[in-house]
Amino acid sequence: MQINYKIPKIPELGDLEVYNGISEINNKNYIGALEHFEKGTLFDNENALLFTGVIYFAGFGLKKREPAKAMEFFKRAVSKWNSPVAQYMIGAMHFDGDEGVLQDKIMGFRCISLAAENNWPYAIANMGLMYTSDSYIKSPSLEKAIFWYEKLAEKDTDLVIPLEEGKRYLFGNEKFEVNLSQVNRSTMKKVQDLLYNYYGAYSPVLSVRETYKDGIPDFDDFQHILIWILLSETNLTGVYNCQLGLASAYITAHKENPQYASKILYWIALSAKKKGTTYYMALGRAYYDCPYVKRNQKEAIKWFNLACNEDQVQDGEAFYHLGDIYQKGWDGVTQDYKVAYSCFKSAFDLGYCMGATRIASFYCKGFGVEKSEVNTIEWLSKAKAKGCSAAEWLLALIDKKGYNFTRQYIKQDFPNPGDRDLYDGIQEINNNHYQEALNHFEKGSKYGNEYAALFEAIFHFAGFGLERRNPPKSMSLLRRVASTWTNPVAQYLVGCMFLEGDIGVSVNHKSAVYWFTLAAKNGWSDAMAYLGNMYAMGSSEVKEDHKKALYWLEKVTEKDVSDTEPISDGDLYLFGNRELELNIDNVSEKNNQLLKRVFQEGIASPIQCLNISKIMPLVDDEELAHKFLWTLLTNKKSTSVSACQLIFMTIYLDGSNNVGKNPEKTVYWAKKAAKNGNSSACMAVGIFYEEGTGVKQDYKEAMKWYRKSQELGEEIDAIFRIGLLYNEGKGVKRDCMLALEYFKTTVDNVNNGHAHFLMGEIYQFGKDEVPQDYKKAFEHYTKAVTAGFYPAASKIGSLYRLGLGVRVDEERAYHWFTKGASMGCPIAQYTLGLIHYNGHHGEKDLDKSLKFFKKSYAGGFEASKNMITLIESMNHK
C-alpha cells in the first residue's frame, strides 16, 4: 500500500513534515514517520494531528498503543479544524471504551453524530445502526435510522449498473490518494469481507484490538491495510452497508406500516450488486421466507447458489436453506431428497450444525434414505457435539411411540349451529389433515359457533394448513371471538400478541394488560400469570406494582395446596371446555417429561411454542407446534404455577416500596417451585443454603439441591456450583481434581470466566493432586479475561512479573494490571498503586499511587487502607 501526496504549491505550516512522514510510512518506518508528524503538530497542522493520533491509536511501530495520547491529538484536530475524522475517532473510542479512555456511550454518540453531520461516511452508517436498537442508545428511532441510512444508500439507485468506486482518499482528503494496486488479492478480499459483512460501519477500536496479542502490537499487511481503509473514503464507502441496513429497518417498520413491503426488496436488491456472501444471502433470505416479500424459491435458489460459490462461505447457512427448499419442494421446485441431503451435509461441514439435525430427520422419517434409528442418533450426536441445543432436545424426543394425542369431542348430538363442522374439523386434526380441518372450522364460524371460530383464529395464528402464519388476520378473528362470546382463550391470545409483538402486530404493553385482565377475570390462569409477571417486572408502559403482582400470582398458585407433593393436572380439556377432552395417553414418558420441562421452567408463550417448532426438524413444523400449542391451551393446572412461585421468590428476595424483603418467604416459595420440578428454583434453594439466606447455612443441603437442579435440566450452572463446593471443601472434603472436572465440563458448554479463573488457580498452585502447570494457568486466565472476569487480568500480570511459565516482562505485567484495573479489579488497582509507589520505570508517582489505592479500597480491598494512610501521612495531597 502506498499513500500518494504532493505538497501544495502554497504549502501550509507543517505540510513538509506531513510529506516526509508519509514517505516514511510508505517505507514502513513508523518511528521516523511519527517524528515528522509530531513536528508538524507544533504548527497545529490538521493532517499532522490526524496522522499522529492514528499512529498512537494503532500503535504502529510502537511497543504499545497509547489511546489516551491519541485522544489528545484528535481533540486538537476537532478544536482547531472541526475534523470529522477526529470527531469519529473520539466517538468510537468513547463508545467502545479503550485503554485509558472510559466507555461513555452518550459522549460517543454525540461525537459520532457530529462527524455524521460533517458527512463522514462511516459515522453516517453508524448513526443508522445506532438508531435501530436500544442496545446502542436509550431512545431508538426507526425514522431517524432510515434518515441516516438513506444519506449514503441513495448514492446508488441503479438496479443494474454498479456505482463506480472511484479513487480512495485518506481522511476523505483528495491530497492523500491511497494506492492499493500492489496489495495481495487475498489480503484485499479478507479486508473487504470484514468491512462489507456489516450493517453499520466496522469500529476502528475493534480493528486494532484484533491486531494485538497479550497487549503487544502484532501487525501484518491485512491489519495495516484494514486500519488505513477504515480512515479513507471512496464513492462506495458505507453505501452497500446502508442499503442492507435500510432493508432491515424497513422490515421492522413494516409491522407499523405495510406500505414498506416493496422497499425491503428494493434495497436488498441494490445491495446485492456488491458481489459478496452477505448480500447474496440477504436477497436469498428475502425470497425464501421474508413475510413481507412474495415468496419465490427459484429466485432464492439462484442467490443462495451464488453465496455457496463465493470464495469464502463462513457458516454454511446458504447450503442449509437450499437443502430446506429441495426437501420441501416449494413453489415449483422439484422435491429432491438427494440434493437436499447433500446440501445439509455441506452446511454441517461448514460449521452450520443444524444441517446435521436435518440429516437426522431424513433417517428418522426415511426421506430418500432407509429409516435408521442408529444413523438418526449418530447425526444428532454430531450436532450436539458442535453445540447445537436443538439436537439435545431432539435426542430426548426419540422414542418409538412418538408423540401422539387426540382431541375427543364428547358431545355427539350437535345441538348448536356449526357443531357438525366443529366435530368434523377436530377429526381432521386428529388425522393431521389441517387444510380440511380449517375448511370445516371456517364453515362452523359462519354459523356463529364459538369454538369453530376460535379454532379458525388459532389456525391463522399458528399457520396450520396454510403456507405461512397470518397474525393480523388471527388478531381480527380472535377479537371477534373475544368480544362476541367473552372467550378467555381469545382474550389471552390477543394479550400475548400485544405483549411480544408479531408479524403485523406492534408491541403494546398497555393493551396486553387490558386483554390479560379480561381473560384473567374470566378465569384463564396463564393470563393471571402474565399479569403477575408484568406488574412484578414493570416496563416503560406498565408501572411496577408488587401488590398487584402478588394478587394475580396468588390466584395462580392457590391451586397448589401441598408443600411436599407436586401439583397434579387431572384431566385435560382444550380451552377449558369439558366437551373438548385432550387425550395424551399415548405420549411416551420421555416426551411427557420434555413437555413438563417446557411448562415448569417459565410462563410458556404460545408464540414461543411456534418458534420451538422451527428448530426441531425431526417432527413436521405443524405437528410439533400443535403438540406444544394445544397442551398450552388446556386447563392444565401445573401450567405457570412453578414460574409464578419463582416470581414470588424474587419479589420477597429483592423487596420493594410496598412489599418488604422477607428471607423466610423467599425460601418458602423457592421450595414450592422446586417441588414442582422447576430446576431454577432448585438452584436458588441451593444458593440460599450455601449463603445462609432465610435458612441456616448448610453446604451439604446446598449440594443436595444443586444435584437435584442438575437432574431436572439446569445442568451447567449446577455443575459449576458443585465444582465450587469441591474446590473450597464446603460440605465435602476438598478435592480440586474433582472440582477441575466439574469446571472443565462447565467451560466445555458455556463461556464461564469464573470457571476458567478457578481452573487457572488450580493449575498455578498445583492444588491437591493436580500437577502445577503455569502454561495451562496462563491459558485459562486469558480465557477468563476474554469472558469478562476481571480478576484474571491481575493473575496474568503476576505471571509476567514473576516469570511463572513466561519470561519476566515488566511491560506486559503492567499492561495486564492496567487492564484489570480498568475492568474494576481492586487487586490490580492495589498492585498498580504499589508499582507507582515504588517507582514505575524508576520514577515514583505518589499521585497515581494514591489514586489507585483509593480505587482499590473503594472496591473492597482492605489492605489498600494502610497504604492510603501512609501516603497521606507523608503530607501528600
Side-chain angles (χ1 to χ4, degrees), residues 553-584:
L553 294 171
E554 284 171 356
K555 291 282 188 183
V556 179
T557 57
E558 66 186 9
K559 298 180 290 185
D560 184 13
V561 295
S562 172
D563 288 339
T564 56
E565 295 298 319
I567 188 171
S568 174
D569 288 320
D571 294 333
L572 299 183
Y573 300 105
L574 198 57
F575 314 139
N577 185 339
R578 289 184 172 271
E579 296 175 0
L580 298 170
E581 183 179 357
L582 193 69
N583 182 352
I584 59 172

Side-chain angles (χ1 to χ4, degrees), residues 254-255 289 291-292 468-473 497 501-506 614:
H254 184 278
K255 291 181 179 179
D289 67 355
Y292 316 115
R468 61 179 65 183
R469 297 177 60 229
N470 192 339
K473 184 170 183 177
M497 294 171 79
D502 208 338
I503 300 167
V505 181
S506 299
K614 292 181 179 178

Side-chain angles (χ1 to χ4, degrees), residues 20 384 424 546 664 676 690:
N20 291 331
K384 181 182 176 183
D424 289 341
H546 283 179
E664 289 73 25
N676 281 320
E690 184 178 350

Side-chain angles (χ1 to χ4, degrees), residues 18 111 115 162 196 216 229 254 277 311 348 368 416 420 440 462 465 541 567 576 594 606 662 738 839:
V18 172
C111 294
Y196 289 131
I216 307 301
I229 285 181
H254 184 278
T277 301
D311 294 339
F348 179 71
N416 297 316
R420 177 79 224 185
H440 286 294
E541 298 178 69
I567 188 171
L594 185 62
N662 190 321
L738 189 56

Side-chain angles (χ1 to χ4, degrees), residues 354-387:
M354 286 298 292
T357 65
R358 297 301 288 268
I359 293 175
S361 72
F362 277 37
Y363 284 111
C364 179
K365 296 193 170 185
F367 292 154
V369 293
E370 188 175 342
K371 283 187 178 183
S372 169
E373 185 172 337
V374 172
N375 288 340
T376 301
I377 294 172
E378 177 189 349
W379 280 99
L380 285 177
S381 299
K382 287 181 179 181
K384 181 182 176 183
K386 294 291 185 181

Side-chain angles (χ1 to χ4, degrees), residues 433-614:
H433 297 156
Y434 292 100
Q435 183 59 63
E436 292 81 352
L438 180 57
N439 292 337
H440 286 294
F441 294 140
E442 287 174 340
K443 289 179 184 177
S445 177
K446 289 177 181 177
Y447 285 114
N449 185 284
E450 176 183 0
Y451 289 99
L454 182 57
F455 270 113
E456 179 191 10
I458 290 170
F459 268 49
H460 285 286
F461 169 76
F464 297 154
L466 304 168
E467 281 193 358
R468 61 179 65 183
R469 297 177 60 229
N470 192 339
K473 184 170 183 177
S474 174
M475 173 68 86
S476 175
L477 294 169
L478 286 169
R479 284 188 165 191
R480 176 197 166 210
V481 177
S483 59
T484 304
W485 293 284
T486 62
N487 184 284
V489 179
Q491 293 165 340
Y492 160 71
L493 288 171
V494 172
C496 289
M497 294 171 79
F498 277 125
L499 175 66
E500 298 182 41
D502 208 338
I503 300 167
V505 181
S506 299
V507 172
N508 188 323
H509 286 181
K510 286 186 178 178
S511 294
V513 167
Y514 171 78
W515 287 100
F516 283 144
T517 302
L518 291 177
K521 288 180 177 178
N522 283 322
W524 195 252
S525 182
D526 273 359
M528 301 175 194
Y530 270 121
L531 284 172
N533 188 53
M534 292 180 76
Y535 282 123
M537 303 298 291
S539 72
S540 59
E541 298 178 69
V542 179
K543 186 178 178 181
E544 183 180 309
D545 189 330
H546 283 179
K547 282 191 174 179
K548 285 185 179 179
L550 293 177
Y551 172 80
W552 288 113
L553 294 171
E554 284 171 356
K555 291 282 188 183
V556 179
T557 57
E558 66 186 9
K559 298 180 290 185
D560 184 13
V561 295
S562 172
D563 288 339
T564 56
E565 295 298 319
I567 188 171
S568 174
D569 288 320
D571 294 333
L572 299 183
Y573 300 105
L574 198 57
F575 314 139
N577 185 339
R578 289 184 172 271
E579 296 175 0
L580 298 170
E581 183 179 357
L582 193 69
N583 182 352
I584 59 172
D585 291 342
N586 293 327
V587 178
S588 69
E589 181 58 29
K590 217 182 253 185
N591 293 333
N592 204 15
Q593 291 301 318
L594 185 62
L595 261 184
K596 283 184 180 179
R597 180 176 170 184
V598 171
F599 292 118
Q600 287 167 348
E601 289 304 311
I603 302 174
S605 155
I607 295 175
Q608 291 170 10
C609 285
L610 298 173
N611 290 335
I612 288 172
S613 73
K614 292 181 179 178

Side-chain angles (χ1 to χ4, degrees), residues 744-774:
K744 184 178 184 305
T745 302
T746 301
V747 299
D748 283 346
N749 287 274
V750 294
N751 190 19
N752 186 316
H754 193 185
H756 277 299
F757 175 81
L758 294 171
M759 293 175 78
E761 281 198 324
I762 292 171
Y763 282 121
Q764 179 181 351
F765 299 108
K767 292 183 178 181
D768 296 342
E769 297 178 4
V770 179
Q772 196 171 46
D773 191 326
Y774 292 125

Side-chain angles (χ1 to χ4, degrees), residues 316 319-320 323 337-359 362-363 379 382:
F319 280 107
Y320 180 83
Y337 289 132
K338 287 186 179 180
V339 173
Y341 184 103
S342 174
C343 289
F344 289 138
K345 187 175 185 305
S346 295
F348 179 71
D349 291 342
L350 288 164
Y352 202 77
C353 63
M354 286 298 292
T357 65
R358 297 301 288 268
I359 293 175
F362 277 37
Y363 284 111
W379 280 99
K382 287 181 179 181

